[in-house]
Amino acid sequence: MKSLRRPAQVLLIILLLSVKLFSQDFKTNPLITIPGDNRNFSIASPLITFQSHSSFICWENRLGSKYTIYLKQVDPLEDSIYTVWSDTIPNISPVVSYNQEDSSVTVVWQSYKNAHNVLYTRNFKNKSFNELSILTDTLKNSTSPSLGDYSLVWIEDGKLLHKDTVTGITIVDSINCANPVVYPFRAMRERQIMYEKGETGKRQIYSARYVGQFRDQKPYWEISKISGGTDNINPSWAPFNGYVYQTKENSVWKLVSTGFYPSKIANVSCNFENASIFDYPLITGSSGNNSFPFFLAFDTDSIPGNKEIFVEYHYIADYRRDTLINFSNSPGDDIKPKAAYFNHSSYTYTSGDNAEACIVWEHIENNKSDIWWAVSPCKIVLMDVDDNQVIAKFRLSQNFPNPFNPSTTISYSIPKQSHVEMRLFDMLGREVATIVSKEQSAGDYKVQFDGSSLPSGVYIYTLQAGQFRDSKKLLLLK
């Protein structure tokens, strides 16, 4: 695996800007239809940024006795399809990541060699591949690797293993682990993994967060269970706020999404499975409540004999949930959607006409598997709180400096005496600090926050004063 380096701070600052997404008018088209079965794809796409970024999709193809891993650039979209590796031995479960610093792509997949399962990797840059490398050749069983921009995780004999160039290979958890998903953007968080743990039919979702060296404390993995119920599988990260997973109730698969406000999709008789979540920041609305809207994409067997991809939109601030929308709506089965964000070019903060929300899935029809997608233009607008008449006299300012280490200053204004609550949350929605909690008279205030006891990452600070509420992101970068 290639060298893992910290992105430039300027990009991290850009990631913290508040943006707004208008329109979700998805248009569905085939994406990968080459001969053979095209399946088990992986996408490397960026967070919402204001800079150009290439995105890639890799997938496995079986044509007769040939097993091939392919790679294609989809942002900006190119016609070329590159062969990562091809053999008569099965090559399966590919994953891909993109390094923005040097515009290189890393592909990892599983194959078989000398009576063992093997994890291979190749790097792709300037339209060519380097030599094939073996990451591990000691796997007894099939595994499903997960690759972020800094980390690789996989399962070996029930153990959850993590690899990067800083820590090497480490055992994160050692018993009954399965289906790991590494958080893809380490610029936003420290190393963090979700995975299933337990016996089949009784699994729970766990989180593992890497806690690095702090003073005399040795680095370690902090393990916590994050689900309830009797059977939970298929976890998936949201880019900004929380995650989603499946839970079985009364023999039916439902979805649980978590962020600042937990939510469960309460279907009755059909299964909702293989969810992917897309979220994005939204500047304070006219109600004065900061909103974090998002949508869930998932497949369902609500139509007998014809699985379809559905989307459900959420608006967390007012708990509003729009009607489910079937946007695959085609013969055959549509399964395993993944949500992504595409940004075709550099543009100013107030344009963004080339940005797109995207959902990609497997389409199976007439005994052939292909890859389809649905794309929706995104109009991104940077807004300032001065544009909001409701909060013209209330103000929560962006902390300065940002990023910071270890302390930063947060300024705010209140026009009348109010009880003021300022709290800090991590990206899973867990409160980690109370910064202010007291009655204050009208005026301008500054408070200094010390993050010495917290790990590096993005946090949300919220201000509640009477009916006013606002939130912003801050970045602790040690």
Side-chain angles (χ1 to χ4, degrees):
M1 188 164 58
K2 69 184 307 305
S3 176
L4 306 177
R5 294 174 289 178
R6 187 181 297 276
Q9 286 191 358
V10 64
L11 175 60
L12 301 182
I13 296 172
I14 290 171
L15 292 177
L16 302 179
L17 294 173
S18 295
V19 299
K20 187 170 183 177
L21 176 65
F22 297 89
S23 169
Q24 286 93 19
D25 183 19
F26 286 99
K27 295 182 179 180
T28 299
N29 288 292
L31 175 61
I32 308 293
T33 59
I34 61 175
D37 284 324
N38 304 289
R39 58 192 182 187
N40 290 342
F41 65 91
S42 172
I43 298 177
S45 71
L47 286 167
I48 292 179
T49 72
F50 298 107
Q51 293 184 342
S52 60
H53 185 294
S54 297
S55 297
F56 289 82
I57 183 171
C58 71
W59 70 98
E60 63 180 72
N61 172 277
R62 182 176 181 181
L63 180 60
S65 60
K66 275 282 189 180
Y67 297 84
T68 305
I69 303 297
Y70 286 114
L71 179 72
K72 178 182 177 67
Q73 183 170 322
V74 289
D75 177 20
L77 183 63
E78 292 188 355
D79 292 333
S80 300
I81 295 177
Y82 302 95
T83 300
V84 183
W85 195 253
S86 187
D87 208 324
T88 55
I89 297 172
N91 295 284
I92 62 173
S93 302
V95 287
V96 62
S97 70
Y98 177 81
N99 185 296
Q100 181 142 350
E101 288 187 342
D102 63 4
S103 301
S104 65
V105 178
T106 301
V107 181
V108 175
W109 71 97
Q110 180 182 313
S111 188
Y112 194 78
K113 181 180 181 180
N114 298 331
H116 286 91
N117 289 287
V118 179
L119 283 183
Y120 286 115
T121 183
R122 293 192 83 181
N123 288 339
F124 178 81
K125 186 176 181 179
N126 298 327
K127 301 187 184 301
S128 63
F129 289 95
N130 68 353
E131 295 298 318
L132 183 71
S133 298
I134 295 178
L135 291 172
T136 178
D137 59 0
T138 60
L139 300 173
K140 297 179 181 178
N141 304 306
S142 179
T143 187
S144 297
S146 177
L147 182 65
D149 53 5
Y150 285 83
S151 301
L152 171 70
V153 296
W154 70 92
I155 302 297
E156 185 170 340
D157 197 26
K159 299 181 179 67
L160 173 60
L161 301 184
H162 173 277
K163 175 182 174 62
D164 66 16
T165 57
V166 177
T167 62
I169 298 178
T170 58
I171 298 176
V172 179
D173 198 347
S174 58
I175 301 176
N176 284 341
C177 301
N179 195 22
V181 185
V182 66
Y183 183 75
F185 310 110
R186 187 170 155 195
M188 294 287 289
R189 304 181 192 175
E190 290 295 322
R191 305 172 189 89
Q192 196 162 352
I193 310 163
M194 279 193 301
Y195 58 102
E196 301 168 13
K197 183 176 174 67
E199 299 176 3
T200 302
K202 299 179 180 179
R203 288 179 175 169
Q204 297 292 318
I205 306 300
Y206 278 71
S207 171
R209 181 176 68 91
Y210 183 77
V211 180
Q213 182 78 37
F214 179 70
R215 296 180 181 175
D216 296 331
Q217 183 184 63
K218 293 182 178 180
Y220 66 96
W221 287 94
E222 180 183 71
I223 308 294
S224 57
K225 187 175 78 167
I226 59 177
S227 68
T230 58
D231 192 3
N232 303 283
I233 61 171
N234 286 348
S236 179
W237 288 108
F240 287 97
N241 302 298
Y243 46 86
V244 62
Y245 60 87
Q246 289 175 220
T247 184
K248 181 174 281 188
E249 295 181 3
N250 299 320
S251 300
V252 176
W253 287 113
K254 304 178 187 298
L255 300 177
V256 175
S257 63
T258 64
F260 291 105
Y261 301 92
S263 176
K264 182 181 293 184
I265 301 183
N267 51 311
V268 179
S269 59
C270 61
N271 294 293
F272 289 177
E273 301 180 86
N274 301 309
S276 181
I277 191 168
F278 179 96
D279 67 343
Y280 42 91
L282 179 66
I283 198 67
T284 303
S286 60
S287 65
N289 292 321
N290 200 28
S291 174
F292 289 85
F294 63 90
F295 64 76
L296 290 173
F298 52 91
D299 61 56
T300 174
D301 56 3
S302 57
I303 301 174
N306 179 206
K307 287 192 173 183
E308 297 288 343
I309 305 296
F310 278 74
V311 166
E312 181 178 74
Y313 298 108
H314 292 239
Y315 297 87
I316 299 178
D318 55 10
Y319 300 93
R320 189 168 85 248
R321 178 183 292 160
D322 286 357
T323 305
L324 287 173
I325 299 173
N326 178 351
F327 67 88
S328 57
N329 196 25
S330 60
D333 287 331
D334 298 287
I335 59 173
K336 299 179 181 179
K338 289 184 173 67
Y341 172 81
F342 291 165
N343 178 7
H344 299 306
S345 64
S346 297
Y347 50 86
T348 61
Y349 295 158
T350 56
S351 61
D353 294 325
N354 290 325
E356 293 175 331
C358 180
I359 304 173
V360 186
W361 67 92
E362 292 181 27
H363 174 77
I364 305 170
E365 186 177 358
N366 297 324
N367 296 317
K368 186 180 187 306
S369 176
D370 288 319
I371 299 172
W372 286 24
W373 64 349
V375 178
S376 171
C378 303
K379 176 68 174 179
I380 297 178
V381 178
L382 183 68
M383 301 175 64
D384 189 272
V385 293
D386 288 337
D387 297 330
N388 190 324
Q389 298 299 319
V390 176
I391 61 172
K393 295 182 180 179
F394 283 94
R395 180 186 295 275
L396 175 64
S397 298
Q398 186 65 55
N399 64 299
F400 181 83
N402 192 41
F404 69 97
N405 179 30
S407 63
T408 187
T409 299
I410 303 172
S411 301
Y412 60 97
S413 302
I414 56 175
K416 60 183 179 180
Q417 181 169 328
S418 306
H419 182 76
V420 176
E421 297 277 349
M422 184 183 295
R423 303 181 185 279
L424 187 72
F425 298 85
D426 65 17
M427 295 306 287
L428 293 179
R430 300 175 298 196
E431 183 177 339
V432 296
T434 298
I435 302 173
V436 178
S437 181
K438 59 183 176 182
E439 193 79 13
Q440 291 185 311
S441 57
D444 298 325
Y445 293 88
K446 292 184 178 181
V447 60
Q448 191 169 37
F449 172 71
D450 190 326
S452 298
S453 63
L454 296 174
S456 297
V458 175
Y459 296 86
I460 303 291
Y461 60 98
T462 66
L463 177 70
Q464 177 95 43
Q467 297 300 311
F468 170 77
R469 180 181 173 87
D470 195 10
S471 302
K472 294 185 182 297
K473 290 183 173 70
L474 55 78
L475 176 63
L476 175 59
L477 189 60
K478 294 183 176 180

